[in-house]
């Protein structure tokens, strides 16, 4: 699938929605979207207990690794994912995560593309950073998972 002239909205996922997750919402996402491939977001990743938390970063060395999906039936899927991620569009300041359109870089390409992402909406000062930016690798390493 060519990304250059794509009108289909894109979604970047970095945690329990990735294809290697056994979570029902990951399977739901895959049945309502098409995997484009791996991608990178300029941000920092943290361990928030039973899920990862990503925030934006201005440091180009901070990278969150994840997957990029072309989403079908956008409104329906995003409504379902908003609920799963604890994002309430009418109360964004009170939401656990907020959905935002950002630029991500597909690993197989050289151009940035716009994609939706769910960013953590709480302080990260007491959370452990995940230096690799890869929640899947972190989860499978010796970090108690």
């Amino acid at each position: 699938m060519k990304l250059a002239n794509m009108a289909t909205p894109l979604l970047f996922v970095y945690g329990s929605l990735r294809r290697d997750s056994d979570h029902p919402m990951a399977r739901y996402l895959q049945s309502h979207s098409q995997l484009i491939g791996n991608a990178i977001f300029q941000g920092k990743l943290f361990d928030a207990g039973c899920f990862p938390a990503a925030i934006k970063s201005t440091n180009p060395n901070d990278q969150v690794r994840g997957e990029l999906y072309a989403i079908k039936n956008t409104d329906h899927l995003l409504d379902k994912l908003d609920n799963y991620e604890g994002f309430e569009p009418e109360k964004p300041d009170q939401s656990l995560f907020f959905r935002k359109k950002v630029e991500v870089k597909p690993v197989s390409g050289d151009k940035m593309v716009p994609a939706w992402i769910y960013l953590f909406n709480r302080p990260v000062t007491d959370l452990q950073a995940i230096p690799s930016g890869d929640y899947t690798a972190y989860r499978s390493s010796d970090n108690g998972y």
Side-chain angles (χ1 to χ4, degrees):
M1 177 176 281
K2 288 195 172 215
L3 290 174
N5 298 318
M6 178 181 275
T8 304
L10 302 175
L11 175 71
F12 176 80
V13 299
Y14 55 87
S16 62
L17 293 175
R18 289 174 73 170
R19 67 179 170 234
D20 64 348
S21 170
D22 192 33
H23 196 282
M25 282 306 291
R27 292 190 299 273
Y28 187 84
L29 171 63
Q30 289 169 36
S31 69
H32 290 81
S33 63
Q34 180 180 352
L35 176 67
I36 301 297
N38 293 328
I40 296 170
F41 164 67
Q42 186 174 318
K44 291 188 80 160
L45 193 62
F46 296 87
D47 182 344
C50 54
F51 57 85
I55 61 170
K56 282 186 89 164
S57 173
T58 57
N59 182 341
N61 294 322
D62 292 335
Q63 297 182 340
V64 176
R65 300 179 185 287
E67 297 167 349
L68 191 61
Y69 287 86
I71 54 179
K72 306 171 195 168
N73 196 352
T74 307
D75 291 339
H76 172 75
L77 180 59
L78 290 179
D79 284 348
K80 197 133 173 110
L81 293 175
D82 286 353
N83 186 52
Y84 171 69
E85 297 286 356
F87 172 57
E88 297 181 53
E90 55 289 335
K91 300 179 195 171
D93 293 343
Q94 297 174 26
S95 298
L96 180 60
F97 285 84
F98 63 95
R99 180 168 37 93
K100 182 175 176 84
K101 197 164 267 189
V102 298
E103 295 286 315
V104 299
K105 184 177 182 310
V107 172
S108 63
D110 58 349
K111 293 184 180 173
M112 301 291 278
V113 297
W116 289 110
I117 187 174
Y118 288 92
L119 296 172
F120 196 53
N121 199 28
R122 300 282 189 269
V124 295
T125 49
D126 294 333
L127 300 181
Q128 177 179 334
I130 301 174
S132 70
D134 188 332
Y135 186 65
T136 298
Y138 174 79
R139 219 180 48 212
S140 64
S141 67
D142 189 21
N143 291 300
Y145 291 99

